[in-house]
Amino acid sequence: MKRLILLFIVFFNVSIFAQSKEYSIIVKDIETQLPIENAMVVIMKTKQVLLSNEEGKVTFMLTGASNVQTSETNYESLTTRWIALKENEFVVYLKNKKNRLTEIVVSKESPQKILQKIVSNSVEKLTMPYRLKVYVREYFMLDDKYSYYNDGLVNFQFSGNRKKATTTLLVEQNRSYGLLEADVSADLKGYNLNNIMENYSNLDYFEPILDSKAKKEYDFIVKGFPGNKDYYVMSITPLDKSKKEMDSFEVIYDHKKKIIIEFTCALIPAKPVETEEKPDVGSKNITRSFIKVKYRIDGSDYYLLSSNEEIAYNLILKDKVKNIQVRNSFITTNFNKQKFTYNESDVFKEKTLFNKKNKILTNYWDVSGFTATDKEKEIISSLDYKL
């Protein structure tokens, strides 16, 4: 009987230990005490990759113990031992590298030529073929009110040659809901998921500044990157910001491997021209456009890690102006070199998850690698009665 009791105690303790527990980490700037958004947190035991939200927070489930690596391009990386992480909502402080002085990099080759080589080489170096499991999320706002929400767990199969990737999309799970009583379906402007992912692989965003004529319209400046001698930062800004709307770019790249680590693209609107003419009905006046894309190097593998896109525009109607805003986020939850098998009928051929019937098998958003902010949780919790 004593042996049976002892065995029961052992099995009970093992069972308790084996249960997954939820942990939270908040990433902050050590000097400003402000949260750091889009910091990459790697749980070393499971290799799970998480990105911090605008509150600097990540949440994850874990059985047992694991050290954690935290990094962000502009900060010094930090590995934290598990013994310090047992406290929930543990704060990880990173040191900013941007406070260090950087020098302009002088090269015999023009910065635009350098950029052309970096873009070409990055496209070629992206692992091919491969598949990504990606958590996709989109918020839609109409006249400053959240009006629609969708997210999903999807698989992208990348194929083709290294210079021109194409994708096949399979949707595992998704949910799509209106947040207002009124029907706003006619105003929805969802992203074409295949197109946007192909753009990230083919780096089509750089086409306007790779043309030789762009040298007359843009200023190209290359600087060293604080804290990492292998990285350079290239800033590309319009020379004349008054004539027309143009994009500005910042590209962080490994100048030894000649591959892009991260890039941002932001629209600089043209200065308004005083005119008595009314804008055409149906025209769109873009007021904001912002893209931030990160790639990951993991050994010999090089692939998309995450992206955030925002666009806002005014839609001109006969009797009023509608303000429309869309925020879209991608985060890679799994990378695999093996192709998945599927039937042609399984392929998702629509442009956006707005058009996909809801399919919820698990709480996939809890393991998405991206933690919702308090405001986002409030929005999502309003959907509970619909689930």
Side-chain angles (χ1 to χ4, degrees), residues 353-385:
L353 293 181
F354 287 139
N355 303 321
K356 175 71 173 173
K357 185 178 179 181
N358 290 350
K359 181 182 179 182
I360 303 170
L361 304 175
T362 64
N363 289 0
Y364 60 87
W365 46 88
D366 288 339
V367 292
S368 64
F370 195 82
T371 303
T373 64
D374 290 340
K375 177 62 179 176
E376 291 165 345
K377 285 178 181 177
E378 182 182 327
I379 295 167
I380 298 169
S381 66
S382 69
L383 302 174
D384 285 346
Y385 76 97

Side-chain angles (χ1 to χ4, degrees), residues 138 150 169 189-193 328 348-356:
E138 189 168 35
N150 77 62
L169 172 59
K189 179 180 170 61
Y191 288 84
N192 186 317
L193 295 175
N328 179 288
F348 183 64
K349 297 180 180 179
E350 298 287 344
K351 292 182 178 180
T352 170
L353 293 181
F354 287 139
N355 303 321
K356 175 71 173 173

